[in-house]
Amino acid sequence: MNTAGHPEATVRRGLELTPFRGLRYDPDRVGSLAAVTSPPYDVVVRPDGLLHLESADPYNIVRLILPQADTPGARNEQAAKTLRRWLSEGVLTADPEPGLYVYEQHDGDGMLQRGIIGALRVSEPSEGLVLPHEDVMPHVVADRAALMRATSANLEPLLLTYRGNGTAADTTAVIERTAERPPLFATTTEDGFSHRLWSITDPTELARVQSDLTRHQALIADGHHRWETYRRLRAEHPSPSAWDYGLVLLVDTARYPLRVRAIHRLLHNLPVPDALAALDGLFRVRRLEVPLPEALAALADAACASNAYLLAGDGTFHLVDQPDPALLARTVPTDRPTAWRTLDATVLHAALLAHVWHIPEDDPTRIAYIHDTAATVDKAERDGGTAVLMHPVREDVVRDLARQGVTMPRKSTSFGPKPASGLVLRALNL
């Protein structure tokens, strides 16, 4: 019985990952595969970063995931036209048969990540199969949904994690056997990461992967807004359809642990002196005349004892910690587990943003969410705003809260390495 189109469905049947005909760049038509890739759309936040990617190659994927035009409608139509043109010109071509894709990333520091890319059946939260751990911003979901409707494509995979059991028959065993073969391609991007991709088309191997994954649930590591977009678009289309599935990368973190980093906040139009003045009597504030790495080390030490943040933007750093218990008592909701109430992101959003600085968390004119630490500080100094640097949350805390059905404040974590965009795409009309 197909219950995928019904929100009331509670039948747990495990993760359903299906093969698809991947769209990939023809290496003979582009300058290099590295030059046409991009970080995920929400990591490319600075105009100079966008221009750098656009100038790297005329076919860089950023022209699809972040099209530039005067209005949202024009941007999405431009992306759709660009995709159609690249397909007609053979810049992007579909693989001859459906498959799952093994994807590997590694860097010079010993980080090795392998996972499997496929089309995952979109499920409802009540099914408990794909666990979110962060809230989403409605305007971002609307933006991504409009882009996917216009292009009829999943342009970049989400990053999902699960916990394998290490047996010889599980998905990781198939991945590691596949990685012994010559890849479809290998490239190294300017961030120092090497990328390799293989396809799995053998029916026996596909069956092993699909059977194993029916025993697992997944945690959304990166891509909450795109997953919510998948859910919205699936609800708009009668089932069964290609919209019942969305493009994902699944990584077994029992075998390949991810890095967990913080996502920082940039508060527009709030100078550092004003931000600090509002904290008087509510937090301890210490000025740090040290370089960024030492300031982050001080933040890590302080975060072991209490909620802690680094404020920057005036040429130095300010360590903010030890919040007033009375402030927390009157601002932090008490209907969630202690692990949630004591999160740095919870206290930041519930106490600082909402009650001290009066900044709406979903107003892009007042606040931005930036992954790169140095970029956040630089932009605050250029624009006269305040950077709020965060300490990362441990993965086990994220997973435990997600299993309890408790979502963290939006943009609380940054799992990585994230899959490069542009290595394999999924067209919904193939």
Side-chain angles (χ1 to χ4, degrees):
M1 178 179 178
N2 184 359
T3 58
H6 302 281
E8 68 273 13
T10 57
V11 177
R12 176 165 179 171
R13 51 187 178 181
L15 301 174
E16 295 183 18
L17 194 69
T18 65
F20 69 103
R21 292 179 62 199
L23 290 182
R24 296 190 293 113
Y25 282 99
D26 181 343
D28 294 331
R29 298 297 306 274
V30 298
S32 73
L33 290 174
V36 296
T37 66
S38 164
Y41 79 97
D42 57 340
V43 180
V44 185
V45 293
R46 295 166 57 178
D48 54 344
L50 180 65
L51 291 173
H52 172 72
L53 290 166
E54 287 183 331
S55 61
D57 191 284
Y59 298 116
N60 189 283
I61 190 67
V62 78
R63 298 178 187 275
L64 297 183
I65 63 174
L66 286 173
Q68 299 299 296
D70 292 336
T71 67
R75 288 196 294 269
N76 296 327
E77 181 56 30
Q78 178 174 298
K81 289 180 178 178
T82 299
L83 178 58
R84 289 194 297 268
R85 185 175 74 253
W86 291 358
L87 288 169
S88 66
E89 294 175 353
V91 174
L92 286 170
T93 60
D95 283 331
E97 57 182 319
L100 299 176
Y101 295 83
V102 171
Y103 176 45
E104 176 190 276
Q105 296 165 275
H106 68 87
D107 65 7
D109 297 327
M111 178 73 186
L112 174 65
Q113 178 173 290
R114 287 175 177 157
I116 194 156
I117 296 175
L120 184 69
R121 184 182 71 86
V122 179
S123 58
E124 292 297 323
S126 60
E127 296 178 76
L129 296 176
V130 177
L131 305 176
H133 69 268
E134 291 181 357
D135 295 329
V136 298
M137 292 175 273
H139 74 277
V140 177
V141 175
D143 174 74
R144 292 294 100 183
L147 179 63
M148 287 190 204
R149 285 190 204 98
T151 58
S152 291
N154 300 152
L155 301 173
E156 46 186 347
L158 285 65
L159 175 59
L160 306 184
T161 73
Y162 69 100
R163 303 288 290 182
N165 55 19
T167 66
D170 69 4
T171 298
T172 298
V174 175
I175 288 172
E176 294 181 353
R177 282 197 298 273
T178 302
E180 295 175 355
R181 298 193 276 107
L184 295 172
F185 67 77
T187 190
T188 300
T189 45
E190 63 179 18
D191 59 4
F193 270 92
S194 296
H195 308 262
R196 296 198 295 171
L197 192 79
W198 297 260
S199 64
I200 302 174
T201 57
D202 177 80
T204 302
E205 296 285 65
L206 290 173
R208 286 191 179 116
V209 170
Q210 292 174 304
S211 174
D212 172 57
L213 291 176
T214 61
R215 298 191 290 271
H216 296 290
Q217 64 180 179
L219 173 73
I220 301 176
D222 184 68
H224 284 80
H225 291 90
R226 283 167 286 165
W227 180 256
E228 190 61 26
T229 298
Y230 290 168
R231 291 185 58 238
R232 176 179 294 190
L233 295 174
R234 190 201 63 173
E236 293 175 5
H237 295 82
S239 185
S241 78
W243 298 95
D244 291 343
Y245 298 84
L247 187 63
V248 305
L249 165 65
L250 277 164
V251 174
D252 175 5
T253 53
R255 181 70 178 88
Y256 299 104
L258 291 157
R259 291 171 176 160
V260 186
R261 293 177 172 152
I263 301 177
H264 310 296
R265 276 66 172 158
L266 175 62
L267 310 181
H268 303 304
N269 305 315
L270 179 65
V272 172
D274 294 348
L276 293 173
L279 300 179
D280 186 36
L282 300 177
F283 284 79
R284 182 175 68 169
V285 179
R286 290 174 285 169
R287 185 184 180 94
L288 303 179
E289 296 285 356
V290 297
L292 177 58
E294 292 180 34
L296 292 173
L299 173 62
D301 289 341
C304 294
S306 75
N307 300 113
Y309 315 91
L310 271 181
L311 269 57
D314 62 347
T316 188
F317 299 99
H318 307 269
L319 182 60
V320 175
D321 66 351
Q322 296 189 9
D324 175 23
L327 172 68
L328 303 184
R330 69 174 182 267
T331 60
V332 178
T334 59
D335 60 346
R336 310 280 182 91
T338 300
W340 180 88
R341 296 198 305 271
T342 56
L343 288 170
D344 290 337
T346 297
V347 172
L348 173 65
H349 284 247
L352 284 167
L353 293 181
H355 291 275
V356 177
W357 292 324
H358 306 290
I359 294 176
E361 63 182 9
D362 57 356
D363 183 351
T365 69
R366 302 289 305 283
I367 185 171
Y369 298 83
I370 304 179
H371 294 72
D372 185 270
T373 308
T376 311
V377 175
D378 290 345
K379 190 162 180 59
E381 292 179 348
R382 288 201 311 270
D383 299 347
T386 295
V388 182
L389 307 184
M390 310 281 289
H391 184 66
V393 184
R394 299 193 318 274
E395 182 183 354
D396 61 312
V397 173
V398 176
R399 192 176 295 275
D400 287 347
L401 286 172
R403 284 175 172 161
Q404 296 177 60
V406 178
T407 55
M408 299 165 64
R410 58 198 59 176
K411 299 295 183 182
S412 294
T413 58
S414 176
F415 284 88
K418 304 177 190 303
S421 298
L423 298 181
V424 62
L425 292 67
R426 174 178 175 252
L428 277 74
N429 53 5
L430 289 179

